[in-house]
Structures are given as structure tokens and as C-alpha cells.
Amino acid sequence: MQWRGSEVENLQLKALELREDELNEVRHLLEERRAAATQWERGAVEAAKWERYLSCDDVIDSAEQRQVNTFITLWRDEPELNVRKVLTRCHVALQLVDELDVLIKESTDPKQTLVYQEGLVHLQELIQAKLNLTCEDIFKSASSSLKGNP
């Protein structure tokens, strides 16, 4: 059986229409999945915020500039150089640094990115300053102990 040119063209047109219909169906399904994923992600973020709120454990929310600034100010003004307390605060500060680093990478707003970067730098500087002061205090107390014991 031989195919005529017009029959082949008709078959090709029908195949092309079928492919376009399938492509449109796939696009529609992808858009539905994308919308569902976006909604799920928003829900997960809100659930995480709610869990953090319910925990009532004084964990600082790195996305909240006020909380980060308050932590920095209170710790900077704290005169105590107890090694355990300083190391505990350093641990909290390092967690905030890690969280801010993630927020910087995920941020799409340049102004908000700058705020996160400033908080990160202030935390890093404060960690270094507190560790230096604590080491200095340890060395001073060791030196005075040595002077008292010949």
C-alpha cells in the first residue's frame, strides 16, 4: 500500500497536534506541582516558625534583626568573663552565624541581605573580642598566681 503525499501530511499534522496536546497537559501538571510545592514550602516555613515560638526556649530568630541586635548588645555589655558562659554564648553566636549565612544565600532582597551580612559581621567580631578578653583574663589570673607562688 502506498501512501499519498496528502495522507502523510495529514498524519504528520495529527501527530503534531497530539504532541502539542500532550505538551500542554504536561505543562499544566508541572504548574500544578509547582504551585503545590510552593504552598508546601510556605506551610513548612510557617510550621517551623510556630514550633520555634511554642518552644519558648529563648532561641534567637536569626531572621529577626531586632533579636540579633539585642543579643549582640546584651552580650557586648556583659562584663562577666567566665569561660563556660563565654563559650556557651559563643556556641549560640556561631549557630546564629550559620543561620545568617543560610539566610544570606537564600535572600533575594539586596537590602535584607545587607542586614543579614551586617549582623553576621558583628557576631563574628564579638565572638573574637569575647574570646580575646577571656584569654587575657585567664593569662592575667595565671600570671598573678605565679607571682604569688615563688
Coordinates of all heavy atoms in Angstrom, one line a residue, residues 8-9 53 55 59 67 79 93 108 112-113 128 144-145:
V8 N 0.1 11.5 4.2 CA 1.2 11.6 5.1 C 1.2 12.9 5.8 O 1.5 13.0 7.0 CB 2.5 11.4 4.2 CG1 3.8 11.7 5.1 CG2 2.6 10.0 3.7
E9 N 0.9 14.0 5.1 CA 0.8 15.3 5.7 C -0.2 15.3 6.8 O 0.0 15.9 7.8 CB 0.6 16.4 4.6 CG 1.8 16.7 3.8 CD 1.4 17.7 2.7 OE1 0.4 18.4 2.8 OE2 2.2 17.8 1.7
Y53 N 8.3 29.3 68.1 CA 7.6 30.2 69.1 C 7.1 29.3 70.3 O 7.2 29.7 71.4 CB 6.4 30.8 68.4 CG 5.5 31.6 69.3 CD1 5.9 32.9 69.8 CD2 4.3 31.1 69.7 CE1 5.0 33.6 70.6 CE2 3.4 31.8 70.5 CZ 3.8 33.0 71.0 OH 3.0 33.7 71.8
S55 N 8.3 26.6 71.5 CA 9.3 26.0 72.3 C 9.7 26.9 73.5 O 10.2 26.4 74.5 CB 10.6 25.7 71.5 OG 11.2 26.9 71.0
V59 N 15.5 31.0 72.1 CA 16.4 30.9 70.9 C 16.2 32.1 70.1 O 15.0 32.5 69.8 CB 16.1 29.6 70.1 CG1 16.9 29.5 68.9 CG2 16.4 28.3 71.0
Q67 N 16.1 40.9 67.3 CA 16.6 39.9 68.2 C 18.1 39.7 68.1 O 18.8 39.5 69.2 CB 15.9 38.5 67.9 CG 14.4 38.5 68.3 CD 13.8 37.2 68.1 OE1 14.5 36.1 68.1 NE2 12.5 37.2 68.0
P79 N 29.9 42.2 81.5 CA 31.3 42.3 81.9 C 31.9 40.9 82.3 O 33.1 40.7 82.3 CB 31.3 43.2 83.1 CG 29.9 43.0 83.6 CD 29.0 42.7 82.5
A93 N 26.2 32.1 69.4 CA 26.5 33.1 68.4 C 26.9 32.4 67.1 O 26.6 32.8 66.0 CB 27.6 34.0 68.9
T108 N 16.7 37.1 48.4 CA 16.5 37.7 47.1 C 16.5 39.2 47.2 O 16.6 39.9 46.1 CB 15.3 37.2 46.4 OG1 14.1 37.4 47.2 CG2 15.4 35.7 46.1
Q112 N 17.8 43.3 52.5 CA 17.7 42.3 53.6 C 19.0 41.5 53.7 O 19.5 41.2 54.8 CB 16.6 41.4 53.4 CG 16.2 40.5 54.6 CD 15.8 41.4 55.8 OE1 15.1 42.3 55.7 NE2 16.4 41.0 56.9
T113 N 19.6 41.3 52.5 CA 20.9 40.6 52.5 C 22.0 41.4 53.2 O 22.8 40.9 54.0 CB 21.4 40.3 51.0 OG1 20.4 39.5 50.4 CG2 22.7 39.6 51.0
Q128 N 35.1 37.0 68.5 CA 36.6 37.2 68.6 C 37.0 38.1 69.8 O 37.9 37.7 70.5 CB 37.1 37.8 67.3 CG 38.6 37.9 67.2 CD 39.2 36.5 67.2 OE1 38.8 35.6 66.4 NE2 40.2 36.3 68.1
S144 N 49.2 36.3 87.9 CA 49.2 36.8 89.3 C 49.3 35.6 90.2 O 49.9 35.7 91.3 CB 47.9 37.5 89.6 OG 46.8 36.7 89.4
S145 N 48.9 34.4 89.8 CA 49.1 33.2 90.6 C 50.5 32.8 90.7 O 51.0 32.4 91.7 CB 48.3 32.0 90.1 OG 46.9 32.3 90.2

